[in-house]
Amino acid sequence: MQVVVLNGVNLDVLARRDAAVYGGLSLSELETRIYEWASELGCHVRCRQTNHEGEYVAWCHDAYEWADGVIVNPGAWSHYSYAIRDALELLEAPIVEVHLSNIDEREDWRKHSVLADLASKRVIGKGPDGYRDAIEFLVAQVGATS
């Protein structure tokens, strides 16, 4: 099973963001955990991060060809990027939307996600462990349909 994790804008400076909100890890530390969890769960994962919306869209297009599951945390783009939404809408693989913080309990503008209806599952407010939940869900989903 092949999974891609697409992290978006400002996740490269994760360690500088409020640890109480975002979990206190650097992106590198988060990716290390993701790779460990994927290995434990018997799947292969590729982590990617960009601050460039067009590159993020291109990675969504790339996932069409090979990914069995997609985990997305576009950051602030989640709330307004219809370009990313359109790119993800074409995927046949299940999508899990992950947010480190609980966006439902934050500013009003963060409560809306243009991706929510595309996601097979949403994991919000669980910090870094939300990525593990996402991987577990995809392993169960793909295993159930294979």
Side-chain angles (χ1 to χ4, degrees):
M1 177 176 170
Q2 301 287 326
V3 174
V4 65
V5 176
L6 301 177
N7 284 309
V9 66
N10 292 319
L11 284 155
D12 60 320
V13 291
L14 191 56
R16 294 180 181 197
R17 300 188 79 183
D18 185 346
V21 175
Y22 295 102
L25 295 178
S26 69
L27 179 63
S28 177
E29 291 167 327
L30 175 61
E31 289 178 346
T32 296
R33 286 190 185 180
I34 291 169
Y35 290 125
E36 289 170 356
W37 293 326
S39 179
E40 289 171 16
L41 295 166
C43 69
H44 299 282
V45 69
R46 178 191 299 177
C47 293
R48 301 178 109 170
Q49 186 281 327
T50 185
N51 290 318
H52 303 282
E53 187 176 18
E55 185 170 38
Y56 198 96
V57 167
W59 290 344
C60 294
H61 295 171
D62 178 60
Y64 303 158
E65 302 301 321
W66 63 271
D68 299 309
V70 180
I71 298 170
V72 297
N73 181 351
W77 292 326
S78 305
H79 312 296
Y80 64 86
S81 178
Y82 289 97
I84 291 173
R85 181 195 168 21
D86 287 349
L88 290 171
E89 186 174 34
L90 299 173
L91 285 167
E92 294 181 15
I95 300 167
V96 180
E97 181 181 3
V98 173
H99 294 281
L100 295 163
S101 68
N102 187 342
I103 60 173
D104 289 341
E105 295 179 359
R106 296 190 62 197
E107 304 90 340
D108 284 342
W109 64 269
R110 290 188 198 267
K111 294 177 184 177
H112 174 72
S113 168
V114 299
L115 311 175
D117 65 319
L118 299 178
S120 298
K121 181 174 181 71
R122 298 180 76 216
V123 182
I124 60 170
K126 291 190 170 186
D129 290 338
Y131 287 87
R132 182 181 179 96
D133 290 357
I135 297 166
E136 288 174 344
F137 174 82
L138 290 173
V139 167
Q141 283 294 108
V142 173
T145 60
S146 300

